[in-house]
Amino acid sequence: MTTMSALVPTKNNALNLGFTGNLGNIDAYISAVNRLPMLTHDEEISLATRLREKNDLAAAQELVLSHLRLVVSIARGYLGYGLPHADLIQEGNIGLMKAVKRFDPDQGVRLVSYAMHWVKAEMHEYILKNWRLVKVATTKAQRKLFFNLRSHKTGLDAMTPKQIDALAKLLDVKREEVIEMETRLSGRDIALESPTDDEDDKFSPIAYLSSEQSEPTKVLEAEQVTRLQSEGLETALGKLDPRSRRIVEARWLANDDGSGATLHALAEEFGVSAERIRQIEVAALKKMKGALAAYV
């Protein structure tokens, strides 16, 4: 672990707050970052825009420094794994810097919300690689269960049947899976490399610990798509007159397989030509596109 002073610059003129001397220990570092001023929304957008358009590293530094307290706060929640607090903070700071580099100020999301995914992802990877017992969690579901099980256990004693049932219900998993994971957490070390020559066991468990779907950008994209498909679509349809909405729904939303009503069928329904239906459809989709722009 590097010294805590290595995580911050010697002096930060932009924020008018200097870090002088060697911070020396974790308490001094936490005290220092908690004195850093927080940015307003407008300041955050301005800095992020400068970074994106001009690759302004001074702007990136301000964004990182103003969110160091977020990393400290998140790291505090992972102290139960027996790993150094300073190391957790350092890994979280790496996630914060990745978030700042990829942050898009035009998405309408505050950096603190976006960065949280990246900070947690880096801390999770650090824990998974360094805490001996986590080596038994080899799938995404097991990783989720592992972290939740650790946070819900109140001590070293085994969980009661009532606690097991409550946790299984909370995580929507079988109680047998909770029991199995708790047994693994109470067991001895397990080798990363398989001792057998079985073809299925030739990959170490660490190979299964990462998941593309848990990558922060993927998570945000999935949330955006869900919002677009539910709230956004309903809002866009609400902008249409009844006839236009009927045509769009019949043509595009009637069946999951995309086999909507034909232009001629709708022309017969409304007593107009198929060409007129096509024109109404084009105008309606154009209007919906404008309404959906706020959700993209």
Side-chain angles (χ1 to χ4, degrees):
M1 170 67 196
T2 57
T3 61
M4 299 313 298
S5 57
L7 298 181
V8 292
T10 302
K11 187 174 183 182
N12 180 39
N13 295 324
L15 296 180
N16 295 317
L17 182 62
F19 291 93
T20 58
N22 193 329
L23 295 182
N25 61 61
I26 184 65
D27 293 329
Y29 172 79
I30 293 175
S31 176
V33 300
N34 282 336
R35 294 198 304 271
L36 288 166
M38 300 179 69
L39 298 173
T40 65
H41 192 193
D42 289 340
E43 289 173 334
E44 183 178 290
I45 292 176
S46 175
L47 290 167
T49 302
R50 280 166 48 192
L51 173 60
R52 183 182 63 180
E53 296 180 355
K54 302 179 181 179
N55 195 30
D56 188 336
L57 298 184
Q61 184 186 59
E62 286 196 53
L63 290 169
V64 170
L65 288 173
S66 65
H67 288 79
L68 289 178
R69 68 180 68 200
L70 168 68
V71 178
V72 171
S73 176
I74 294 175
R76 198 172 291 124
Y78 294 101
L79 292 178
Y81 298 98
L83 296 170
H85 193 188
D87 284 3
L88 286 168
I89 290 175
Q90 180 165 278
E91 295 298 322
N93 284 349
I94 293 174
L96 173 60
M97 288 185 281
K98 290 181 178 180
V100 168
K101 181 179 180 181
R102 295 166 173 79
F103 181 60
D104 184 354
D106 296 332
Q107 290 298 316
V109 178
R110 289 301 300 266
L111 176 57
V112 65
S113 300
Y114 181 74
M116 193 175 299
H117 292 284
W118 287 92
V119 172
K120 288 184 177 180
E122 289 297 324
M123 290 185 186
H124 283 187
E125 289 303 316
Y126 170 71
I127 293 171
L128 291 170
K129 291 176 182 177
N130 291 276
W131 200 60
R132 65 179 182 87
L133 296 179
V134 80
K135 296 167 188 175
V136 300
T138 58
T139 67
K140 181 181 177 181
Q142 288 174 338
R143 291 177 68 175
K144 179 180 178 182
L145 179 57
F146 164 78
F147 281 108
N148 281 279
L149 184 59
R150 285 284 302 173
S151 63
H152 282 81
K153 280 178 70 70
T154 56
L156 298 177
D157 296 333
M159 296 179 70
T160 65
K162 185 176 181 180
Q163 290 174 321
I164 291 173
D165 290 337
L167 184 58
K169 183 177 180 181
L170 176 66
L171 301 179
D172 193 24
V173 298
K174 298 178 181 178
R175 70 186 310 273
E176 290 78 11
E177 295 177 4
V178 177
I179 295 173
E180 180 185 2
M181 181 57 71
E182 185 184 25
T183 301
R184 291 182 178 189
L185 292 176
S186 302
R188 58 179 175 80
D189 283 345
I190 294 180
L192 278 175
E193 300 294 338
S194 171
T196 71
D197 293 328
D198 190 353
E199 187 67 23
D200 293 334
D201 294 330
K202 284 189 176 180
F203 296 98
S204 63
I206 199 71
Y208 303 101
L209 289 177
S210 60
S211 170
E212 259 190 29
Q213 297 308 312
S214 63
E215 196 268 336
T217 301
K218 298 290 185 183
V219 172
L220 288 175
E221 288 177 354
E223 291 175 354
Q224 188 178 52
V225 170
T226 299
R227 185 164 173 258
L228 180 64
Q229 291 177 336
S230 55
E231 179 184 342
L233 184 58
E234 185 58 37
T235 299
L237 287 171
K239 301 288 185 180
L240 305 179
D241 61 81
R243 182 174 65 171
S244 297
R245 177 164 182 160
R246 163 62 184 156
I247 291 172
V248 170
E249 289 180 336
R251 291 276 291 157
W252 299 102
L253 303 176
N255 300 306
D256 293 334
D257 59 3
S259 58
T262 65
L263 293 174
H264 291 286
L266 290 170
E268 185 176 344
E269 177 181 336
F270 288 102
V272 296
S273 67
E275 175 59 20
R276 179 56 184 153
I277 294 295
R278 190 193 66 79
Q279 293 172 355
I280 295 173
E281 178 187 9
V282 170
L285 292 176
K286 183 177 181 180
K287 190 172 185 179
M288 288 180 66
K289 183 177 180 180
L292 289 171
Y295 295 87
V296 177

